[in-house]
Amino acid sequence: MIFFLLPLNIYKHGAFVRLLVQPAWKDVEGEIVLVTGAAQGLGKLIAEELGHLGATLVLWDVNREALEKTAKELRSTLDVRVYAYACDCSRRTEVYRTAELVKREVGDVSILVNNAGVVTGKYTFTEAPDNLVDRTLRVNIAAHFWTYKAFLPDMISRNHGHLVCIACHGGLFAMNGLADYCASKFAAIGFAESIALELRVLQKEGIKTTIVCPYLINTTMFQGCQTKYVLLKTISEKENSFRRKRIVDAILREKMYLLLPSSLYLLMALKRYTFSQVVYMQSPSKQNCLCIEVFKSK
């Protein structure tokens, strides 16, 4: 037992120290950053923030028109290289093909931000059309498999890189009317944690992992969703700008987890003891959720 408790106490005190003393930002100038679902919403904001810090930007999105518009805007406002590639991340062969283009035309990706996602919130699970359930799983989790397969081997060979999973609080808590979405986000978090463990066993400490779990953001995906309690509320577009700084700060400080807002940490602690009440408190009203039947950026 002592061989278990001693390391546990060391890690606990180390975590407490890191909480009080924030590590310095790492330099991302010249790093190649790939953001999926980058045409709009949170993906666009994260890309823009990293571009301000000198990173080369590679933008992926299934919406070619919106992607080109965003790329043009960022090229006009940022003094960095910006590349745009239309890509359906749910299709393995398309991910691999586009990844090879990026490697030839831009270089080796060193920061991968998996942000693209879809949601079907209009139905109960038994009512949801099979094709929408399948799409949710392919975009929200299977796409992570293919992007990691495409870019992680080069990171491993260089022992340098950063894997960023933009998940959701739905990967920590169940939500009413969003069974397939929550399943995909739980899977995304588990996948990211598993790969982080693999890298640690392989002694590839130069490759970092950051998992971000924001509450519902009032973009196209969750527009109009509200909760019954003030402890959590849908993140507005205005607040979104602040959230992107928190997310980029977590990446630059190489934090493993970031929950937004901070009240989610409290709910996570409470969940162990009062599961049903906590889950009910933060779950959105089903009638307010949209059904997104095309691929959307967050």
Side-chain angles (χ1 to χ4, degrees):
M1 180 64 71
I2 190 172
F3 294 105
F4 172 75
L5 293 177
L6 183 60
L8 185 63
N9 277 312
I10 293 174
Y11 291 138
K12 181 176 70 175
H13 286 93
F16 182 71
V17 170
R18 286 192 296 272
L19 186 65
L20 297 178
V21 182
Q22 292 286 345
W25 278 11
K26 68 179 178 182
D27 185 8
V28 296
E29 185 173 357
E31 300 280 1
I32 298 176
V33 178
L34 190 154
V35 183
T36 67
Q40 55 191 326
L42 191 56
K44 175 184 176 181
L45 293 174
I46 292 172
E48 182 179 20
E49 195 71 22
L50 290 168
H52 280 300
L53 297 172
T56 296
L57 302 179
V58 178
L59 313 178
W60 282 16
D61 203 284
V62 72
N63 188 334
R64 184 184 299 272
E65 183 179 351
L67 180 65
E68 290 297 338
K69 181 180 178 181
T70 293
K72 183 178 180 180
E73 178 185 329
L74 294 182
R75 289 184 188 117
S76 67
T77 57
L78 300 173
D79 187 25
V80 296
R81 294 183 297 158
V82 179
Y83 298 85
Y85 297 85
C87 180
D88 181 348
C89 295
S90 71
R91 299 183 181 277
R92 174 175 51 87
T93 54
E94 191 167 334
V95 168
Y96 290 169
R97 177 181 58 79
T98 311
E100 288 303 315
L101 276 176
V102 170
K103 292 175 186 179
R104 289 201 305 268
E105 299 175 359
V106 188
D108 291 328
V109 169
S110 50
I111 301 178
L112 172 62
V113 182
N114 273 311
N115 167 76
V118 294
V119 63
T120 304
K122 186 178 178 180
Y123 310 96
T124 64
F125 178 70
T126 54
E127 295 170 342
D130 290 353
N131 66 308
L132 296 185
V133 173
D134 179 64
R135 179 177 292 175
T136 298
L137 297 177
R138 286 190 291 112
V139 176
N140 293 359
I141 178 58
H144 292 218
F145 300 163
W146 315 140
T147 56
Y148 274 47
K149 282 273 192 177
F151 297 108
L152 184 55
D154 291 330
M155 293 184 188
I156 291 175
S157 67
R158 304 192 313 271
N159 192 23
H160 176 74
H162 201 136
L163 303 167
V164 182
C165 170
I166 306 296
C168 176
H169 94 294
L172 305 171
F173 301 95
M175 288 195 289
N176 177 42
L178 295 171
D180 54 345
Y181 179 79
C182 289
S184 69
K185 293 302 182 180
F186 269 83
I189 293 173
F191 174 67
E193 290 178 339
S194 296
I195 297 299
L197 181 59
E198 281 191 19
L199 293 170
R200 184 169 183 177
V201 171
L202 291 171
Q203 297 183 334
K204 297 298 180 179
E205 292 85 0
I207 305 173
K208 308 301 179 182
T209 296
T210 297
I211 301 169
V212 182
C213 296
Y215 190 61
L216 307 181
I217 299 174
N218 195 19
T219 56
T220 309
M221 283 184 71
F222 290 107
Q223 190 172 15
C225 284
Q226 296 295 334
T227 52
K228 299 178 180 180
Y229 298 89
V230 296
L231 184 62
L232 285 172
K233 62 178 183 178
T234 306
I235 299 171
S236 67
E237 290 286 358
K238 183 178 180 180
E239 293 172 310
N240 213 6
S241 182
F242 170 71
R243 302 301 179 193
R244 70 170 173 178
K245 292 184 182 297
R246 291 280 307 276
I247 293 170
V248 171
D249 177 80
I251 296 170
L252 298 178
R253 297 188 192 278
E254 299 179 342
K255 294 181 179 179
M256 180 75 175
Y257 301 99
L258 175 67
L259 277 57
L260 295 170
S262 299
S263 53
L264 283 176
Y265 292 100
L266 173 61
L267 289 180
M268 278 296 293
L270 293 174
K271 178 182 175 182
R272 182 181 305 174
Y273 304 103
T274 56
F275 170 77
S276 59
Q277 291 86 345
V278 170
V279 168
Y280 178 74
M281 281 175 61
Q282 54 74 45
S283 187
S285 301
K286 176 177 179 288
Q287 62 267 26
N288 287 336
C289 290
L290 296 177
C291 172
I292 305 300
E293 298 194 1
V294 293
F295 294 109
K296 296 288 186 183
S297 306
K298 286 187 179 177

